[in-house]
Amino acid sequence: MSVPRRPPALLAAPLLVLALLLTGCASDAAPAKTPVGAPGQGAAGPQSDAASALGASPTAAPAPRPAEIPDLGPRTRAAIPAEARQAFVVTGEETDSNRSIAVLYSREDPVKGWQPVAGPWPAHNGMEGWTDHHVAGDLRSPTGVYPLTDAGGRLPDPGALLPYDEHPRFAVDGEGFFGEPLEGSFDYVVAINYNRTEGVSPLDRTRPLGLERGGGIWIHVDHGGPTQGCVSIPEERMEELLRTLDPAMSPVIVMGDAETLGR
């Protein structure tokens, strides 16, 4: 005899119950895998790439080096005393040129290093340029690094920080190499400590290296032409320089043609 067939829905119900018994409830089911770094994921394990990225300490940027005076070579820089914190840099155009550029640098913060504080100013130097071995009458300015400790002039002290000697003997007349008047050239001066004794008036004529090596090398008021061996800058710049050079900062002059200073 024929057996009546069950409806399909009745056959499916026992199978669904059996599947639920075998797999358990959804709360106990194994979680689906989530890509590394997806939102909602727990802390990454110690071997994961994400853990390496999170645990790596950032590399600190190197501290900036203190600024150096530009265009000076290692030998010239080494000649600047460690205690010097002001440097008046006079750079000649060429070895045989009598025209220069002057810039005043200061090193008040050792972290920042040397910073320009005045200039560039036009300047003159010796008629025949520069020399590493100055002798009397060669009309060249001596190259090198020299302390600046003493000042003076024909005019009253404009507020100099360096010891200042006001004296009528600073008066000068006559003409320069190109016929320009020299009057007023020594109204203000700063002695460059080349072949001289420190701590005395620029008028002092003591020459420790001997008279043949010259002397009386000053920074003074420009008269519109080259000098016998001094450095000259405009009068208003001389006044500014005198009010800025501070003996407490051990000022120096760094002077020479560009090629020599670049050594």
Side-chain angles (χ1 to χ4, degrees):
M1 66 184 221
S2 62
V3 178
R5 295 185 177 183
R6 296 180 181 179
L10 295 178
L11 291 173
L15 294 176
L16 178 61
V17 172
L18 180 61
L20 291 173
L21 291 175
L22 292 175
T23 60
C25 64
S27 62
D28 294 330
K33 291 185 178 180
T34 306
V36 174
Q41 186 183 8
Q47 302 302 319
S48 70
D49 291 340
S52 300
L54 293 173
S57 58
T59 303
R65 297 180 61 183
E68 297 282 3
I69 298 174
D71 303 321
L72 300 186
R75 193 169 82 178
T76 303
R77 288 175 178 169
I80 300 176
E83 66 273 16
R85 292 185 291 132
Q86 284 182 325
F88 189 53
V89 181
V90 181
T91 307
E93 294 177 353
E94 296 178 358
T95 303
D96 298 330
S97 173
N98 53 55
R99 293 183 178 273
S100 304
I101 293 295
V103 180
L104 179 63
Y105 290 86
S106 176
R107 182 169 56 178
E108 297 185 30
D109 185 347
V111 175
K112 292 183 178 180
W114 290 103
Q115 302 294 321
V117 294
W121 301 333
H124 279 102
N125 52 273
M127 174 67 179
E128 300 297 332
W130 301 90
T131 179
D132 291 336
H133 187 81
H134 176 71
V135 295
D138 66 5
L139 302 182
R140 291 180 177 272
S141 298
T143 62
V145 178
Y146 305 99
L148 302 173
T149 58
D150 306 284
R154 184 183 66 87
L155 297 181
D157 184 350
L161 301 178
L162 297 175
Y164 187 90
D165 178 28
E166 179 189 349
H167 202 287
R169 285 177 54 200
F170 284 104
V172 62
D173 55 17
E175 295 183 344
F177 292 102
F178 301 126
E180 71 278 10
L182 299 179
E183 184 178 359
S185 298
F186 303 152
D187 283 354
Y188 301 117
V189 310
V190 175
I192 296 171
N193 288 358
Y194 167 82
N195 198 18
R196 73 178 297 269
T197 303
E198 296 184 12
V200 298
S201 169
L203 294 170
D204 184 85
R205 299 186 62 83
T206 303
R207 302 290 181 254
L209 301 177
L211 295 177
E212 69 279 2
R213 293 298 304 277
I217 306 296
W218 298 342
I219 308 169
H220 64 70
V221 176
D222 188 76
H223 49 75
T227 71
Q228 300 273 345
C230 298
V231 169
S232 62
I233 58 177
E235 182 173 3
E236 63 272 19
R237 302 311 185 191
M238 274 300 305
E239 294 182 32
E240 182 178 350
L241 188 66
L242 284 166
R243 290 192 290 262
T244 305
L245 293 177
D246 186 349
M249 300 182 74
S250 302
V252 298
I253 185 171
V254 182
M255 53 191 290
D257 59 278
E259 182 179 355
T260 297
L261 295 185
R263 295 175 185 168

